[in-house]
Each structure stands twice: as structure tokens, then as C-alpha cells.
Amino acid sequence: MDALQHFFKESHNLSKDDLGYLINHFEKVSVSKGTVLFKQGMVVDVVYFVGEGVLHQYNYNEEGEKVTLNLHDGPCFCTNLESFSERKTSQDSCVALTDCTLYILQKEKYDALVNTNVKWSNFVKDVITKTLTKMLNQLKAISNKSIEQRYLDLLKNNPLIIQNASIATIASYLGTSRETLHRIRRKNILV
């Protein structure tokens, strides 16, 4: 549980006993590239913590085109929060783009953790708040950047994504076309 323990040690001040208690709620699994973690139309009953690897979360627009919602490379959490918390069917899907080491928290164990006492309930709320705040800050940071700046940031900060995601997936994630992304890549190779 090294990646998960490291994440919780870095982000929260937990005693050794509390850390052990928390980690025992997770199950470490290895999944192969191409493994579907959840898909549109199902109720998501798992929170994934990505220790290693890259996940692709996506849905389809009205024209039937695949739209990348997020590319998760560890350490981070991944789920469909609305489906997980409200027991609604998911509107998106998630697949492993690489072989991955994941730590899974089943809905039953999540509920048991949250309902143990106020301390753990508050802890889970804090993790969710920090995760959502991080995502919001990332969205704000890229909203005023050009597609080229977004690509260069992704190249610098998330090389695993660049190495493992298709051009179409990266273009969708950046909100551009494959052709525009090809031009940006060519331009930056020549520089």
C-alpha cells in the first residue's frame, strides 16, 4: 500500500494506528491495459485510487463522438461521484490506458468508514473537498491558457499521459482537434 500510504501521510496528519485502520478499507489490485473499470449505464460502487498508471474517463456527445472528461495518472482518486454517492447510473466510462496499480474502496467499506464516527466522516469529507478543490483549481488554471500552453503543461507535468494516450484522446482532453494538436506538436519539436 506504499502509494496510498504515502498519499495519506502527505495530505493528512494521521497517527500510525489511524493510517493502518484507513488502509485496511482499501484493496490493492493490478489491472491490465484496456480493463474497463466502469461504463456508462452502470451504478459505480467503487472509488479508485491510482497508485501507478493512467486511466481514461470519457463519455459520448450527441454526435456519438468520444469526449475525454479526464486523464488520471497517480496519485489521485477516480470515480463517478454522482453515481457512487447517489446510486445513479453513470453517464461516463473509465478504462485503463496502461497496466495500473489501483487501490479500491468498495461502497460498503466506504459507508462503514463514514459511519464509524464523526472523526472518520469528517476525514472523508476533507479528502473529497481537497480532491474537488484540486480539480477546480486545475480547471481554473487551464481556462485562460491556449491549447498550446495546455499541451506544454501536460507534456511537462504528466509525461505518462503523453506517452500512453492516443493523439485523439489528448486532443479531446485539451478541447481541440487532432489536426491542431499535430500542428502544435510539430511546432514544438522543431523549436
Side-chain angles (χ1 to χ4, degrees):
M1 298 278 177
D2 294 336
L4 187 60
Q5 284 180 343
H6 180 73
F7 175 82
F8 284 128
K9 281 182 183 177
E10 291 293 312
S11 62
H12 295 81
N13 188 18
L14 296 174
S15 71
K16 185 177 178 180
D17 289 342
D18 283 347
L19 182 61
Y21 178 77
L22 178 62
I23 296 299
N24 283 334
H25 285 75
F26 288 81
E27 176 187 355
K28 182 178 180 179
V29 297
S30 296
V31 299
S32 301
K33 177 181 179 177
T35 300
V36 176
L37 301 178
F38 58 86
K39 60 184 177 180
Q40 184 178 8
M42 71 180 276
V43 175
V44 179
D45 61 353
V46 175
V47 172
Y48 299 94
F49 178 82
V50 183
E52 293 178 14
V54 179
L55 302 180
H56 180 206
Q57 194 167 352
Y58 60 92
N59 65 14
Y60 292 92
N61 64 19
E62 291 176 1
E63 291 80 35
E65 300 166 322
K66 188 185 278 188
V67 177
T68 298
L69 302 172
N70 211 335
L71 294 167
H72 305 275
D73 66 334
C76 66
F77 287 97
C78 172
T79 194
N80 179 299
L81 191 57
E82 182 180 32
S83 178
F84 182 80
S85 62
E86 297 180 21
R87 312 310 301 147
K88 293 182 178 181
T89 57
S90 176
Q91 297 303 306
D92 49 278
S93 302
C94 187
V95 64
L97 284 184
T98 64
D99 292 344
C100 296
T101 301
L102 304 173
Y103 302 86
I104 61 173
L105 177 62
Q106 298 286 342
K107 177 73 169 144
E108 306 83 50
K109 290 195 175 191
Y110 168 87
D111 289 340
L113 181 65
V114 169
N115 294 320
T116 300
N117 59 41
V118 173
K119 174 177 121 177
W120 286 111
S121 179
N122 289 337
F123 175 82
V124 170
K125 287 177 188 173
D126 185 54
V127 170
I128 292 170
T129 299
K130 285 182 179 181
T131 300
L132 292 175
T133 300
K134 180 181 174 185
M135 289 173 59
L136 230 119
N137 288 338
Q138 289 171 333
L139 288 173
K140 286 179 187 176
I142 66 170
S143 66
N144 294 322
K145 293 184 179 182
S146 69
I147 300 298
E148 183 172 357
Q149 289 170 320
R150 292 179 197 179
Y151 172 74
L152 293 174
D153 285 351
L154 190 63
L155 183 64
K156 177 182 174 185
N157 299 320
N158 305 91
L160 195 59
I161 289 173
I162 297 292
Q163 294 166 7
N164 291 286
S166 70
I167 294 296
T169 298
I170 294 169
S172 175
Y173 179 65
L174 295 174
T176 192
S177 67
R178 289 186 301 185
E179 294 76 18
T180 299
L181 183 56
H182 277 300
R183 283 193 296 276
I184 291 169
R185 292 179 72 200
R186 262 196 313 273
K187 175 184 171 187
N188 285 286
I189 289 173
L190 299 175
V191 174

